[in-house]
């Protein structure tokens, strides 16, 4: 390789160099063109890809065998069944536990017995013992309730409420006591009896009715005058049970105001009379004494008169 002088910058360069490395002027035109052509061919040459085969074609994908799909499907079915089974079992256990708590808190032995009959093997022995104990307790309470209802004893009914305040029959016992006390007040049918009921049952079912009856039974001086006048007018009648020609009044009037079963206000007057010496009329003699019970309506009409002859013992007591 010979050294020559660059015609442009005058420095020494190789005779085979296509260009001057110092100033870049072309020194050897043939070498320069050859290098240019070789570089162009290298740039145009295709680059082989890693996943391409030697002949430039892609390799075909491998097909998955049919038995693989069958295995996948079977696995999916088994997995779904297993998950579903345990889900159903879990829900069933939750339902049984909820029903167990409801039966244990129930105040009805039939609810407990129905649960034991429906789920005999789904609960533990300890749970079964608790339910049986609760059922025996409820049966004992039911017997006490039946006894109290049969006797209709206020003492027993109050004892039941005191012993079992949370039992459903406790409210029913209160209603029964209210009804029994009201019947007692009706039987006496006096303002005092109704006031006693009102004091014992401030929120009773018959409180308003008791108050109304007290107002109806309020006895006034006008009521007394009206009853007395009605009896005297009745004795003026000869066709009555108490004609003045045969009897005369020998005691004051004892008058009370009542309400009959139909709700009508009536007056009841009791007094004593004795026979008048005129003539024997129906066995009535002079000096014979009788106790009279007369019923007078609110309008002042004598509804009924009953005479009870006094015995010799009664007369001697005078």
């Amino acid at each position: 390789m010979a050294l020559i002088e660059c015609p442009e910058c005058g420095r020494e360069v190789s005779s085979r160099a296509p260009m001057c490395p110092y100033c870049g002027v072309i020194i050897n035109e043939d070498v320069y063109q050859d290098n240019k052509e070789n570089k162009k061919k290298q740039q145009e040459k295709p680059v082989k890809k890693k996943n391409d085969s030697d002949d430039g074609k892609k390799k075909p994908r491998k097909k998955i065998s049919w038995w693989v799909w069958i295995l996948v499907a079977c696995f999916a079915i088994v997995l779904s069944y297993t998950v579903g089974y345990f889900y159903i079992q879990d829900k069933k256990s939750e339902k049984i536990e909820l029903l167990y708590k409801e039966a244990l808190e129930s105040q009805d032995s039939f609810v407990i017995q129905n649960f034991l009959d429906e789920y005999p093997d789904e609960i533990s022995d300890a749970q079964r013992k608790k339910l049986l104990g609760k059922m025996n307790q409820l049966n004992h309470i039911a017997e006490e309730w039946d006894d109290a209802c049969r006797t209709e004893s206020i003492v027993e009914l109050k004892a039941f409420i005191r012993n079992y305040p949370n039992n459903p029959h406790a409210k029913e016992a209160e209603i029964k006591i209210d009804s029994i006390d009201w019947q007692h007040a009706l039987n006496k049918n006096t303002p005092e009896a109704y006031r006693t009921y009102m004091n014992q049952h401030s929120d009773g079912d018959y409180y308003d009715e008791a108050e109304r009856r007290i107002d109806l039974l309020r006895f006034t001086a006008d009521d007394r005058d009206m009853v007395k006048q009605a009896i005297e007018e009745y004795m003026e009648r000869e066709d009555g049970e108490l004609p003045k020609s045969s009897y005369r009044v020998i005691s004051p009037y004892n008058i009370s105001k009542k309400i009959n079963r139909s709700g009508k206000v009536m007056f009841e007057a009791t007094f004593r009379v004795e026979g008048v010496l005129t003539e024997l009329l129906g066995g009535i003699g002079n000096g014979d004494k009788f106790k009279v019970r007369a019923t007078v309506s609110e309008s002042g009409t004598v509804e009924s008169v009953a005479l009870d002859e006094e015995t010799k013992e009664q007369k001697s007591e005078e």
Side-chain angles (χ1 to χ4, degrees):
M1 177 183 69
L3 296 176
I4 60 174
E5 185 178 333
C6 176
E8 181 67 27
C9 62
R11 295 183 182 184
E12 291 182 347
V13 295
S14 174
S15 59
R16 293 183 179 181
M19 300 171 61
C20 175
Y22 302 107
C23 63
V25 70
I26 297 174
I27 296 175
N28 193 332
E29 184 69 27
D30 293 336
V31 176
Y32 176 76
Q33 291 295 332
D34 289 340
N35 289 344
K36 188 176 180 180
E37 290 294 330
N38 290 335
K39 187 179 292 186
K40 184 177 180 180
K41 288 181 180 179
Q42 289 179 356
Q43 291 177 351
E44 292 178 352
K45 186 176 180 181
V47 180
K48 184 186 292 186
K49 296 181 181 180
K50 291 182 179 181
N51 57 349
D52 290 345
S53 60
D54 294 340
D55 55 0
K57 295 182 180 180
K58 294 182 179 180
K59 294 182 179 180
R61 294 180 179 178
K62 294 182 179 180
K63 294 183 178 180
I64 301 176
S65 301
W66 59 269
W67 59 267
V68 175
W69 291 111
I70 293 176
L71 289 176
V72 172
C74 292
F75 177 77
I77 292 172
V78 172
L79 180 63
S80 299
Y81 176 80
T82 304
V83 173
Y85 173 79
F86 284 106
Y87 176 80
I88 293 173
Q89 291 298 113
D90 185 60
K91 287 296 181 181
K92 184 178 179 181
S93 298
E94 290 180 2
K95 178 183 177 182
I96 294 174
E97 185 65 23
L98 179 61
L99 292 176
Y100 167 75
K101 290 181 179 180
E102 291 178 355
L104 191 61
E105 295 173 359
S106 175
Q107 298 296 322
D108 190 344
S109 59
F110 292 105
V111 175
I112 300 176
Q113 187 61 58
N114 289 337
F115 177 83
L116 292 173
D117 293 340
E118 189 170 354
Y119 304 102
D121 302 323
E122 285 81 356
I123 57 176
S124 63
D125 292 338
Q127 289 175 322
R128 184 176 290 103
K129 288 181 180 179
K130 283 185 177 181
L131 291 175
L132 291 175
K134 182 64 177 294
M135 189 165 61
N136 291 333
Q137 180 186 13
L138 292 176
N139 289 335
H140 176 71
I141 294 174
E143 291 177 359
E144 290 190 25
W145 171 246
D146 291 339
D147 292 340
C149 290
R150 184 177 61 256
T151 59
E152 291 191 349
S153 169
I154 292 181
V155 174
E156 292 188 16
L157 289 171
K158 288 183 177 180
F160 183 89
I161 296 173
R162 185 173 57 255
N163 295 332
Y164 312 107
N166 298 324
N167 189 276
H169 291 306
K171 183 62 178 178
E172 190 175 349
E174 292 178 357
I175 296 174
K176 282 184 173 294
I177 292 173
D178 181 66
S179 179
I180 292 172
D181 284 341
W182 176 245
Q183 288 299 321
H184 290 166
L186 287 178
N187 292 337
K188 293 182 179 180
N189 201 17
T190 61
E192 292 75 16
Y194 293 129
R195 289 192 188 95
T196 300
Y197 168 83
M198 293 174 67
N199 292 333
Q200 293 175 343
H201 303 276
S202 58
D203 57 347
D205 292 340
Y206 309 98
Y207 186 92
D208 293 340
E209 177 63 16
E211 194 172 36
R212 186 184 74 86
R213 285 176 174 256
I214 290 175
D215 291 337
L216 290 176
L217 293 175
R218 187 171 288 109
F219 191 72
T220 65
D222 292 338
D223 292 333
R224 175 177 294 276
D225 294 340
M226 183 270 294
V227 172
K228 184 177 179 181
Q229 182 180 354
I231 293 174
E232 289 176 351
E233 291 178 355
Y234 181 79
M235 293 182 69
E236 294 291 339
R237 294 169 45 187
E238 290 296 329
D239 60 342
E241 296 290 333
L242 200 65
K244 196 173 184 179
S245 59
S246 302
Y247 302 94
R248 67 184 180 89
V249 179
I250 61 173
S251 71
Y253 294 96
N254 183 14
I255 304 172
S256 61
K257 201 173 184 180
K258 303 288 184 181
I259 301 175
N260 61 17
R261 294 186 178 275
S262 61
K264 186 178 179 181
V265 176
M266 302 293 292
F267 295 91
E268 188 175 278
T270 57
F271 53 95
R272 294 171 63 230
V273 297
E274 69 175 358
V276 178
L277 183 58
T278 52
E279 58 182 13
L280 293 178
L281 297 173
I284 300 174
N286 183 40
D288 288 340
K289 294 179 176 58
F290 299 86
K291 184 177 182 180
V292 181
R293 185 173 60 256
T295 303
V296 181
S297 69
E298 195 174 16
S299 61
T301 303
V302 176
E303 298 284 344
S304 64
V305 174
L307 286 82
D308 295 328
E309 185 175 7
E310 295 181 352
T311 63
K312 293 180 179 180
E313 289 78 8
Q314 290 174 322
K315 293 178 183 179
S316 63
E317 291 176 0
E318 300 176 0

